[in-house]
Amino acid sequence: MDHVSTIEATKAVVTLDVALPGIIWGWMITLNMWAKSIGTGVILVGAYLLMKHKKEDMPNLRWLMPLISFIALNVFLLFTLVDLHQPLRMVNIFLYPHWTSAITVGAWMASLFTLLITIMALIGFFDEFKDVRKHCILAKTMRKISGFYEGIFPFVVLLALPVTMYTAIIMAESSARELWAAPAEVIQMLFAAFMVGSASLILIAGKWSKEAKKDLAVVLMLSVLFSFLMYMGEYFFSFKAAEVEATLAYIHSGGSYNLQFWTAMVLGYIIPFFIAFGSLREYNQILMKFAALTTLIGLYLAKSTWLEIPQMIPLS
């Protein structure tokens, strides 16, 4: 926060930098990252399933996958703009781009990703509902570019990886926030995409083959396991960095974020792991949908905790 005063004798403007009180990156940024994980995760997990199984085994995947991604990405972009103090200045990222900035590169990639997802969603929708296509003004166009879906899909998958991870670079650039270390955050964001990507697809997988459903259970089980192990590693073995220790004090020993953190671990990681592990032998659709919902809730709480607690430490 800048405190500005004017010296009348010289008309000089004196600016004094003072600490910003409280949490600046709050629920909007948490929602931003959570939605981005869903938008990219369904593409990454969906690509894995389409590579391994026939599309007939997953009848609604080709249109619901890009539709879910489209909705989630627009939530991500909307709250990115809402959080800006001057959202109209966002256009300067495209008019006067600075390619050394992670924000600029990320904005361009996310915008291109969203454009391609929109095309895929339209193609998938009109392919799925051919009766609707007959009466639509876009019918001829959709028929002509129907094969375009498979053509752009590899590029969408390729873009999904940096789009889901670039926020970790922005967080790592924040000075004196050692908990947001780039390598760990990059991997956590990738795991988060696979977690909620598989969870989102589990919710729509009612008529899918058992083999495809079990593959979703495997992806969910492994992603929550490795993400949980990373959180536990940072939770228990962070004693080499004094700033990280001070940050995690808000979780350790009944700190103010203790309940939220462990609720996130139980809902988002422990419960889904055991349900998914049990479903490898005999897939239980009701339990897996419950696990998918707890994963979505738990990841939001975990993201919120990990985003907010470093901001509680005074920087001076």
Side-chain angles (χ1 to χ4, degrees):
M1 181 182 297
D2 293 339
H3 176 72
V4 181
S5 61
T6 304
I7 301 175
E8 292 298 327
T10 60
K11 299 295 182 182
V13 176
V14 178
T15 302
L16 175 65
D17 290 330
V18 296
L20 286 167
I23 294 170
I24 305 304
W25 289 355
W27 69 269
M28 281 191 187
I29 304 301
T30 301
L31 184 61
N32 172 308
M33 294 190 294
W34 181 79
K36 177 169 61 68
S37 294
I38 295 173
T40 55
V42 292
I43 297 299
L44 294 172
V45 179
Y48 166 71
L49 293 174
L50 286 171
M51 182 175 62
K52 190 173 181 182
H53 302 278
K54 297 178 181 178
K55 61 183 180 181
E56 290 78 16
D57 294 335
M58 304 158 293
N60 56 356
L61 178 63
R62 287 182 83 254
W63 75 277
L64 280 180
M65 174 186 64
L67 178 62
I68 294 170
S69 180
F70 174 81
I71 294 170
L73 285 168
N74 277 280
V75 171
F76 155 63
L77 293 172
L78 171 64
F79 282 97
T80 299
L81 287 174
V82 169
D83 186 66
L84 297 175
H85 297 295
Q86 296 289 341
L88 293 178
R89 292 183 183 176
M90 183 74 175
V91 71
N92 290 327
I93 288 180
F94 302 98
L95 296 179
Y96 310 104
H98 294 277
W99 298 111
T100 57
S101 167
I103 295 176
T104 298
V105 175
W108 275 82
M109 289 192 302
S111 299
L112 177 59
F113 184 73
T114 305
L115 174 63
L116 295 177
I117 284 296
T118 304
I119 296 172
M120 286 179 61
L122 287 171
I123 294 173
F125 176 81
F126 286 113
D127 282 348
E128 180 74 15
F129 301 100
K130 293 182 173 59
D131 291 337
V132 176
R133 188 172 69 182
K134 292 177 182 177
H135 306 287
C136 180
I137 193 171
L138 296 174
K140 292 183 179 179
T141 304
M142 289 299 108
R143 280 198 298 271
K144 290 179 181 178
I145 66 173
S146 183
F148 195 50
Y149 188 105
E150 282 73 19
I152 64 174
F153 195 26
F155 297 99
V156 171
V157 175
L158 189 63
L159 274 173
L161 291 168
V163 168
T164 203
M165 294 186 292
Y166 87 94
T167 314
I169 307 302
I170 297 174
M171 293 173 66
E173 289 176 344
S174 302
S175 60
R177 302 298 186 196
E178 293 183 17
L179 187 63
W180 299 335
E185 285 302 314
V186 165
I187 297 171
Q188 279 286 30
M189 289 192 177
L190 186 59
F191 284 145
F194 280 106
M195 282 173 58
V196 290
S198 57
S200 299
L201 294 179
I202 285 168
L203 294 175
I204 65 166
K207 296 181 180 179
W208 293 11
S209 68
K210 288 185 178 180
E211 291 75 17
K213 290 178 181 178
K214 286 186 177 181
D215 278 340
L216 279 177
V218 171
V219 174
L220 180 63
M221 181 187 73
L222 293 178
S223 57
V224 297
L225 172 63
F226 290 119
S227 183
F228 178 76
L229 290 176
M230 286 191 67
Y231 275 125
M232 292 301 100
E234 291 179 285
Y235 182 88
F236 287 108
F237 304 109
S238 59
F239 45 80
K240 289 188 177 181
E243 195 266 344
V244 174
E245 274 291 286
T247 300
L248 291 177
Y250 288 91
I251 300 175
H252 289 158
S253 304
S256 56
Y257 280 82
N258 181 271
L259 179 61
Q260 180 173 319
F261 177 77
W262 286 111
T263 300
M265 294 298 104
V266 172
L267 290 177
Y269 302 84
I270 297 173
I271 290 176
F273 173 80
F274 284 107
I275 292 178
F277 182 76
S279 290
L280 296 182
R281 177 174 296 179
E282 185 176 351
Y283 192 90
N284 187 311
Q285 187 160 302
I286 295 175
L287 283 178
M288 282 302 296
K289 286 188 176 183
F290 174 73
L293 289 173
T294 63
T295 300
L296 292 165
I297 296 169
L299 180 67
Y300 182 90
L301 294 175
K303 288 286 186 186
S304 176
T305 304
W306 224 244
L307 179 68
E308 292 183 14
I309 57 175
Q311 300 177 66
M312 305 293 287
I313 302 296
L315 296 183
S316 58

